[in-house]
């Protein structure tokens, strides 16, 4: 059975817009404010002990989505219900985030809309017929293997994106192998985020597909 979180990407290997690619991170700042970026950081706590944060900043909308996920954890574990308005909001956030990340990481040149709108990258999430309260209860623990894998994959994605940024500025093309790797990591990241945000109960595959 296909996984219920599907990211579709229209490949854009050739004829890239070198000007917007050169300024991509600057152009993406407004979207980063709302839906964040993808990466990892080491933050120092108030007791001067380092804590590793995986997944980058979630932005303003993402911060709300993560707070709502905490609320949803209780409602699902107690009653088996994922509040509909919370689910709709989280789906909206993830759709926006997918488009913004695709733009930021050079997978698309068209500027993404603020909110919903037509774009070469799209996200669909199938509603679960019922909720698995046990897996929801232990969701963060279950996701740890994916956090570890994504730590290395996201780091590699930033490295390959920088290499591709240089190559696009020189040749106008995004090497297909590097592009496909970036698209695969984006799909993996979004599957795990949807799982941790309690949108689905099926365990994400360890797969680039």
């Amino acid at each position: 059975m296909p996984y219920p979180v599907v990211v579709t990407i229209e490949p854009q290997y050739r004829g890239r817009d070198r000007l917007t690619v050169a300024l991509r991170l600057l152009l993406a700042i407004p979207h980063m404010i709302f839906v964040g970026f993808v990466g990892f950081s080491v933050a120092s706590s108030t007791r001067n002990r380092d804590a590793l944060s995986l997944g980058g900043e979630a932005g303003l909308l993402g911060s709300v989505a993560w707070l709502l996920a905490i609320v949803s954890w209780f409602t699902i574990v107690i009653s088996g219900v994922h509040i509909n308005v919370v689910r709709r909001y989280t789906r909206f956030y993830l759709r926006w985030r997918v488009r913004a990340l695709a733009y930021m990481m050079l997978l698309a040149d068209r500027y993404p809309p603020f909110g919903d709108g037509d774009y070469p990258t799209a996200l669909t999430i199938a509603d679960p017929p019922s909720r698995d309260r046990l897996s929801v209860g232990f969701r963060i623990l279950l996701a740890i293997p994916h956090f570890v894998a994504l730590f290395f994959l996201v780091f590699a994605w930033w490295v390959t994106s920088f290499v591709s940024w240089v190559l696009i500025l020189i040749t106008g093309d995004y090497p297909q192998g590097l592009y496909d790797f970036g698209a695969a990591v984006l799909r993996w990241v979004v599957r795990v985020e949807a799982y941790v945000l309690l949108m689905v109960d099926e365990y994400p595959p360890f797969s680039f597909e």
Side-chain angles (χ1 to χ4, degrees):
M1 295 293 292
Y3 195 71
V5 178
V6 179
V7 176
T8 57
I9 303 172
E10 298 177 15
Q12 190 176 358
Y13 305 125
R14 307 285 182 263
R16 303 302 302 267
D17 186 337
R18 300 186 196 188
L19 179 59
T20 64
V21 166
L23 303 174
R24 187 58 50 94
L25 289 182
L26 289 176
L27 294 172
I29 286 175
H31 284 280
M32 284 191 274
I33 292 172
F34 286 103
V35 295
F37 58 94
V38 62
F40 62 92
S41 61
V42 175
S44 178
S45 70
T46 55
R47 297 182 181 179
N48 296 321
R49 289 185 296 182
D50 289 336
L52 181 65
S53 173
L54 177 66
E57 298 296 327
L60 298 176
L61 298 179
S63 298
V64 175
W66 285 97
L67 289 174
L68 291 176
I70 297 173
V71 175
S72 297
W73 186 89
F74 286 99
T75 64
I76 296 172
V77 170
I78 294 171
S79 65
V81 174
H82 195 183
I83 300 172
N84 188 43
V85 66
V86 173
R87 188 171 183 82
R88 291 204 311 268
Y89 175 86
T90 306
R91 184 184 287 113
F92 168 78
Y93 158 71
L94 287 172
R95 285 197 303 260
W96 187 341
R97 181 161 166 80
V98 165
R99 292 189 292 266
L101 291 182
Y103 180 74
M104 185 187 317
M105 303 304 283
L106 309 179
L107 299 177
D109 283 342
R110 189 197 309 176
Y111 199 76
F114 286 87
D116 278 328
D118 180 61
Y119 200 67
T121 302
L123 169 69
T124 57
I125 302 175
D127 293 329
S130 61
R131 300 313 305 256
D132 184 342
R133 299 188 198 183
L134 182 61
S135 76
V136 170
F138 294 96
R139 185 58 49 96
I140 295 297
L141 291 176
L142 293 171
I144 288 175
H146 278 285
F147 294 158
V148 174
L150 286 176
F151 176 84
F152 296 101
L153 288 173
V154 169
F155 176 77
W157 189 15
W158 276 101
V159 172
T160 58
S161 293
F162 175 75
V163 172
S164 300
W165 179 79
V166 174
L167 293 175
I168 293 171
L169 293 182
I170 295 172
T171 68
D173 296 335
Y174 197 136
Q176 183 172 346
L178 296 181
Y179 186 101
D180 292 344
F181 173 76
V185 176
L186 174 61
R187 287 192 292 266
W188 195 324
V189 166
V190 174
R191 287 195 300 259
V192 173
E193 287 191 359
Y195 179 72
V196 176
L197 288 172
L198 309 180
M199 296 297 288
V200 295
D201 290 336
E202 289 86 348
Y203 198 72
F206 286 85
S207 171
F208 283 127
E209 297 299 325

